[in-house]
Structures are given as C-alpha cells and as structure tokens.
Amino acid sequence: MGNFIGHVYPGLFLVLYGLYQATVVSKAVIFNESLLYSSCPPRSKGRWAWLWKISYGGVSKMVTGSLLIAYEISCIRGGLVLMNRELPPRFMYPKEWQHLTMFILLTLNGCIDFVSENVLPQRCVVLEKGALVLTFYELLLLLVSHIKDLVGVELQVHFLLILVVFLLILVLTAELWAPDMFHLRLIETFLFLMMGSWLMQAGFILYRPISSYPWQDDDISDIMFVTTFFCWHVIINASCLLGVYGFSSFWHHCYSPNLKLMGSKEAPYHARIPGPLYKLLQEVEESEKDDQPLLLSKISP
C-alpha cells in the first residue's frame, strides 16, 4: 500500500462503495422504504432470482480485500517475512504488515455481510454493524501507529484521513442503536466517499504530484494547501451526494413510475417489520377475520 496503486485502488473501491450506498439511501428516501429491508419485489422470479438476493456489498468487499492482499504480498521481494534470522531477531516490514491487516479486516467484514444476508435463516443486522464498527476501531489503531515516523505533508495527509475514520467510527457506533436512521446512514455514506476520494488524492500527493515536483515538507504553503484540498473534497463529495439523489429521483419518477405501486401491491404495509412482530401482526389480523363472521351471526335475527 506504500505506493501509488496501494492508495488509489482502495480509495477507488471506497468511492464506488459510497456511490452504491448513496443510491440505496436515495431509493429508500424516494419510496419511503426501510434502509435495511427493501419492499420492492425481485426483478426476476425464474431460476436466476437468487442473483438479486446476493449481498453484493459483501462480495465486493471479499473480492477487493483478497486482491489487495495478493498485491501487498507480491510487492515484497523474497516474501512478507515476519522476523529476520539475526540475533536478536527483529520484526520485518511493519507497515506492510499493517496494510495486510487492513485488507484482511476488509475481507472478513465482507464474509460476515455475506453470511448474514445469504447464509443465516434471518438477516442479523446487529452482527453486520458490530463487525463493521470493530473493523474501523482496529483500522483507527493501525493508522495512529502508522504515522509515528511521518513528517510534513505526509503527516498532514494521514492526519486528515484519521479524522475521517474517527468521525466514521462515531457514526457507526451510533448506528448500533439506530441502524435504520436515515440521517446516520447519509453521514456514513458521505464519510465513505470522503475516505475513498482522499485516499486517491493521497496517492497523487505523495507519489505522483500533478506538477511532477514532489511536495516540500518544510514549506508551510504545501502543508496548508493539503488542508485546502481536503476542504474541496468535502464540497465535491457533498455535491456528489446531492447529484445522486437528484438523478435517482428523476429516474424513478420518469422511467419507473409503476415501481412503487408494484412494490406496495406485493408487500403490505407491515412487510418492512421483520421478525416476531411481523408474525404477531399476521396472527392478530387472522383472528380478527375469524371473529367477523361470528359477530355478524349474533347480530342477525
């Protein structure tokens, strides 16, 4: 990860994941749906209907994490060795091992998402959110120790990344108690976009500057402009969220006006309520239907 590709590729994945989450949030707001349980029917009811039920977010995390693990290992000549053979032995490649740990966490988080949505008999949202929070807590610890020997521009770049991760941890922790709250999910999506776009920007600042001249650690103007670029990313990502919502609203109202009606016919108003409460509502409705004929027979002479 300590090169241009190692920053741009993870950042690109986070940006794409954030855009996917933005479309999910926009669709939930437009149709007044739950963020966790969609009421829209599957597009295919044949043999390929299972494809629409796959946890694409979990699969993308697993695939991306596995590719990044393979890339990180292949970048080390002679293999990623934990300790050398000298006396006393010393740990080798500490930053590369931190990068590898981050990618392993991403892969495991994808596995948990996939198991929760496609393997367990009932989706466990608490398991998904808890695993995601734990992943980012570990990521924050790794990043804090990652900047021990950094100075100047590189230190400022990583400090701003740590700020985004810290804010994301606060939001994800709050979502443990309110996983279906729209405002929290919107902030989470924005922070994912910020984290991804800033990782990509970090790759260009540290390894491929646009001017072809490296940034100067002893120049206060360079350090100040790092923060300025970060503020520009805030504006761009906020505008991107607004654009995704506007485009989604235009698309669903102009090109799929009957989608909401179809969803409402096949999923009743309480279809979004999962678990025992939904079963209890069904039993109450059935008992009320059974009591109606008896009541009419008593009233009639």
Side-chain angles (χ1 to χ4, degrees):
M1 189 175 175
N3 53 30
F4 177 75
I5 296 178
H7 284 77
V8 171
Y9 282 4
L12 180 61
F13 164 74
L14 289 172
V15 168
L16 294 176
Y17 182 76
L19 291 175
Y20 166 74
Q21 291 284 10
T23 58
V24 173
V25 174
S26 299
K27 176 175 173 290
V29 173
I30 293 169
F31 290 152
N32 194 24
E33 291 181 347
S34 169
L35 289 169
L36 303 175
Y37 303 92
S38 177
S39 62
C40 290
R43 300 183 183 181
S44 175
K45 297 184 179 180
R47 65 174 63 182
W48 304 108
W50 61 273
L51 288 174
W52 299 104
K53 300 178 182 179
I54 291 179
S55 174
Y56 291 105
V59 172
S60 63
K61 290 178 185 178
M62 288 189 291
V63 173
T64 304
S66 301
L67 292 176
L68 291 174
I69 289 172
Y71 175 76
E72 187 68 32
I73 295 176
S74 65
C75 288
I76 305 299
R77 294 181 180 179
L80 194 59
V81 182
L82 182 61
M83 303 181 72
N84 58 18
R85 298 182 180 181
E86 299 177 358
L87 292 176
R90 306 280 298 182
F91 287 107
M92 301 288 290
Y93 310 112
K95 290 194 174 183
E96 285 73 12
W97 278 105
Q98 287 185 338
H99 299 157
L100 188 66
T101 305
M102 296 176 189
F103 301 148
I104 291 175
L105 289 173
L106 176 63
T107 306
L108 292 177
N109 185 252
C111 293
I112 291 174
D113 288 348
F114 182 81
V115 169
S116 174
E117 294 189 34
N118 299 113
V119 178
L120 297 180
Q122 185 176 359
R123 182 182 178 185
C124 185
V125 179
V126 176
L127 175 63
E128 298 176 27
K129 294 295 182 181
L132 187 60
V133 171
L134 182 61
T135 297
F136 274 89
Y137 271 107
E138 294 188 46
L139 177 61
L140 181 62
L141 292 175
L142 292 172
L143 286 175
V144 169
S145 66
H146 200 70
I147 62 174
K148 293 296 183 180
D149 59 343
L150 301 182
V151 293
V153 172
E154 191 172 3
L155 177 62
Q156 185 71 5
V157 168
H158 284 80
F159 172 76
L160 293 172
L161 179 63
I162 290 175
L163 176 63
V164 175
V165 173
F166 176 74
L167 294 176
L168 192 52
I169 284 176
L170 295 180
V171 174
L172 293 174
T173 304
E175 284 188 346
L176 288 175
W177 287 270
D180 205 15
M181 184 175 290
F182 161 72
H183 301 88
L184 291 178
R185 183 63 68 87
L186 183 63
I187 299 174
E188 175 195 340
T189 303
F190 171 74
L191 292 175
F192 269 118
L193 288 173
M194 278 297 305
M195 186 178 175
S197 66
W198 188 244
L199 264 178
M200 297 175 67
Q201 180 71 64
F204 284 97
I205 291 176
L206 301 177
Y207 303 102
R208 292 187 184 179
I210 299 177
S211 64
S212 300
Y213 293 95
W215 291 56
Q216 302 299 319
D217 293 331
D218 56 352
D219 189 348
I220 190 63
S221 298
D222 286 3
I223 298 177
M224 291 176 65
F225 261 98
V226 170
T227 307
T228 303
F229 286 161
F230 182 83
C231 294
W232 290 355
H233 277 261
V234 173
I235 299 173
I236 292 172
N237 286 309
S239 302
C240 182
L241 275 180
L242 185 61
V244 170
Y245 174 77
F247 178 79
S248 300
S249 179
F250 173 78
W251 177 268
H252 288 299
H253 284 91
C254 295
Y255 292 96
S256 55
N258 296 326
L259 186 59
K260 183 178 179 180
L261 182 60
M262 292 171 57
S264 61
K265 288 182 178 179
E266 299 199 16
Y269 70 97
H270 52 68
R272 288 161 45 187
I273 305 176
L277 183 58
Y278 172 68
K279 295 180 180 178
L280 181 61
L281 287 173
Q282 284 185 323
E283 294 176 357
V284 170
E285 289 181 356
E286 291 178 358
S287 62
E288 289 178 352
K289 291 180 180 179
D290 293 338
D291 293 341
Q292 286 180 356
L294 295 176
L295 182 61
L296 291 174
S297 60
K298 292 180 179 180
I299 295 175
S300 61

